[in-house]
Amino acid sequence: LPSADMWSAGCVMYEMAVHRPLFNAGTDLEQLGQIQELCGSVCEAGWPSVVELPDYGKIGFGNTVLTQEEREQGLLLRGCPRWLAPILAQILCLDPEQRPAATEILSSPRSGLFSGSGPVATSLQLPSFARSSIPDRLQSQSTQ
């Protein structure tokens, strides 16, 4: 997967685990602020090729470069499960060149989730929906 897709996959993995979006903003600037709070500033120190982006430099955001461990702590503070935070801290790196490929994540010893040794829902944990749990108004619509 391209690095942009890895970023997206990381956001989706977080949302599936925590049941809410990782970055939930009303505007582009709010979204950028939330990303920088978790991942560090959009700056040359942490992402050298950012200067190639067309709008880079129009707004200054500081020069804070966060380590993978700092991103992991930020994810844990946002409710990310302990088993998932190290994986997402790798994926959610501002510099696309530093993000791991999907094959690296899948083969990483830290990603037991993908090797069968991580948390797995049993059939007892999965929700089941009996027909009787469907509201009467919906049942009558389906039989008409």
Side-chain angles (χ1 to χ4, degrees), residues 66-144:
L66 298 181
T67 65
Q68 182 175 325
E69 290 76 23
E70 290 170 317
R71 289 192 303 274
E72 188 173 332
Q73 286 302 310
L75 286 160
L76 291 170
L77 290 172
R78 287 168 176 77
C80 186
R82 198 164 283 289
W83 55 267
L84 184 57
I87 299 166
L88 294 185
Q90 290 176 28
I91 293 172
L92 298 175
C93 177
L94 289 176
D95 185 351
E97 297 298 318
Q98 300 302 314
R99 290 182 205 141
T103 53
E104 291 175 66
I105 293 296
L106 292 172
S107 63
S108 168
R110 295 188 86 178
S111 62
L113 172 67
F114 305 108
S115 66
S117 62
V120 178
T122 66
S123 60
L124 296 175
Q125 296 170 315
L126 298 175
S128 63
F129 301 98
R131 186 154 178 83
S132 62
S133 67
I134 300 172
D136 290 337
R137 63 182 173 76
L138 294 177
Q139 281 186 5
S140 63
Q141 289 175 357
S142 65
T143 57
Q144 293 177 359

Side-chain angles (χ1 to χ4, degrees), residues 22-25 29-38 78:
L22 178 56
F23 306 114
N24 188 22
L29 286 177
E30 285 177 19
Q31 179 108 7
L32 191 53
Q34 289 179 12
I35 290 169
Q36 290 188 112
E37 184 181 300
L38 177 66
R78 287 168 176 77

